[in-house]
Amino acid sequence: MMLEHVLVLSAYLFFTDIYGLITSRNMVRALMCLELILNAVNINFVTFYDLFDSRQLEGNIFSIFAIVIVAAEASIGSAIVSLIYRKKKSTCINQSTFLTK
Amino acid sequence: MDLPGPIHDFLLVFLGSGLILGGLGVVLRINPIYSAFSLGLVLVCISLFYILTNYHFVATAKLLIYVGAINVLILFVVMFMNSSEYYKDFNPWTIGNGLTSLVCTSILVSLISTILDTSWYGIIWTTRSNQIIEQDLIGNSQQIGIHLATDFFLPFEFISIILLVALIGAIDVTLQ
């Protein structure tokens, strides 16, 4: 009972944040939804590691690596968002359509 | 944590409802500061989930890193932006939004029906039979330490290089 409930919750979180990532006008909200997508996947990892044979699965370690990668990506994403805001003075996500200027 | 059955279920329902409301709050709130606080709520609920499944080290690491560092960073970035422009042209429902919600809901419903139809306990009982008893006496942090020092030593070093490169890159990008 517990496994299915946790899997359903993580699937719900995943799809809610995919919806938020696709339809958000704001760059920072897209970053936030991206964090939650990766978190939902981490919940799945640890739930399966909890209930299966823990000698051969290493979902625990992989979730730690995923946390570290998310931290690195969040820092670089925020740096890029601040740089874009500094140049364009607005955070609308469909304003920068070209790579130059 | 080996809690008795009803407390375990109650905590699961409580955290699950916090997760559902927080997830909706991140996506649907207009003011980005409120959605950043909803993000904090979701991350705290996820960390408490990890305590329920006996993984104390990963729960504490998530609390410190996600809520303590990444959420604070996102709040800083949100407050750095000028927020007076958000209330002018807020159009809550375009055709793209409706199409995306339709596609996401249909995939979610099919995934939930697949999860509820799979017989998980048949798979669990066949693979759980060869678990050594000594494995349960080692705590979670020691297990992670053993794995990281023996099997996963090379990815561990690569992760530290990735963090260093990300740090230098973020500083270099914003110093222009």
Side-chain angles (χ1 to χ4, degrees):
Chain A
M1 177 191 100
M2 187 185 156
L3 173 68
E4 285 146 5
H5 287 196
V6 178
L7 288 184
V8 162
L9 270 173
S10 83
Y12 162 79
L13 198 64
F14 185 73
F15 280 106
T16 304
D17 295 315
I18 280 190
Y19 170 75
L21 176 65
I22 293 178
T23 64
S24 73
R25 302 281 183 99
N26 192 5
M27 279 186 253
V28 190
R29 192 188 300 263
L31 254 179
M32 288 191 251
C33 293
L34 192 60
E35 309 293 327
L36 281 183
I37 288 174
L38 297 168
N39 253 324
V41 173
N42 262 352
I43 293 181
N44 261 354
F45 268 128
V46 174
T47 305
F48 278 120
Y49 181 70
D50 186 26
L51 286 172
F52 283 81
D53 182 10
S54 52
R55 261 191 318 155
Q56 296 155 7
L57 298 182
E58 279 97 10
N60 220 357
I61 308 293
F62 199 83
S63 74
I64 290 183
F65 288 156
I67 294 175
V68 174
I69 297 286
V70 163
E73 164 252 328
S75 65
I76 293 192
S78 326
I80 292 180
V81 164
S82 338
L83 203 60
I84 292 180
Y85 179 72
R86 210 191 288 174
K87 292 215 159 147
K88 301 279 182 107
K89 291 292 180 260
S90 117
T91 57
C92 194
I93 211 168
N94 49 7
Q95 68 184 357
S96 23
T97 50
F98 296 106
L99 277 180
T100 64
K101 286 204 182 20
Chain B
M1 209 169 274
D2 299 321
L3 296 171
I7 299 184
H8 198 109
D9 293 343
F10 170 70
L11 271 176
L12 202 65
V13 166
F14 186 61
L15 294 177
S17 56
L19 211 72
I20 292 175
L21 293 175
L24 283 178
V26 170
V27 171
L28 294 180
R29 289 217 173 178
I30 306 178
N31 199 354
I33 299 183
Y34 289 152
S35 79
F37 282 129
S38 299
L39 178 75
L41 172 71
V42 173
L43 294 173
V44 167
C45 285
I46 292 178
S47 302
L48 295 179
F49 248 132
Y50 280 49
I51 291 184
L52 276 186
T53 58
N54 264 332
Y55 289 122
H56 313 295
F57 176 75
V58 185
T60 319
K62 270 189 176 284
L63 256 177
L64 284 174
I65 295 176
Y66 270 111
V67 182
I70 294 181
N71 201 20
V72 172
L73 179 68
I74 288 182
L75 262 172
F76 273 144
V77 175
V78 163
M79 291 187 181
F80 179 57
M81 313 283 175
N82 191 11
S83 67
S84 63
E85 62 188 48
Y86 292 127
Y87 303 96
K88 282 191 304 192
D89 53 350
F90 185 71
N91 191 8
W93 204 252
T94 61
I95 298 244
N97 279 2
L99 194 62
T100 310
S101 71
L102 197 64
V103 169
C104 278
T105 314
S106 61
I107 300 181
L108 177 66
V109 163
S110 67
L111 193 62
I112 288 179
S113 64
T114 311
I115 288 173
L116 293 176
D117 277 340
T118 316
S119 62
W120 296 105
Y121 291 100
I123 308 177
I124 290 176
W125 281 117
T126 54
T127 57
R128 219 184 181 172
S129 53
N130 31 353
Q131 211 175 13
I132 308 181
I133 299 189
E134 295 114 39
Q135 202 73 20
D136 296 332
L137 297 177
I138 305 177
N140 178 41
S141 332
Q142 287 165 317
Q143 233 171 13
I144 292 181
I146 290 172
H147 276 306
L148 275 180
T150 55
D151 292 331
F152 291 94
F153 190 61
L154 192 61
F156 181 61
E157 301 294 330
F158 279 148
I159 282 274
S160 55
I161 294 179
I162 285 177
L163 275 177
L164 181 69
V165 167
L167 193 68
I168 296 177
I171 294 176
D172 185 53
V173 158
T174 46
L175 265 186
Q176 291 170 0

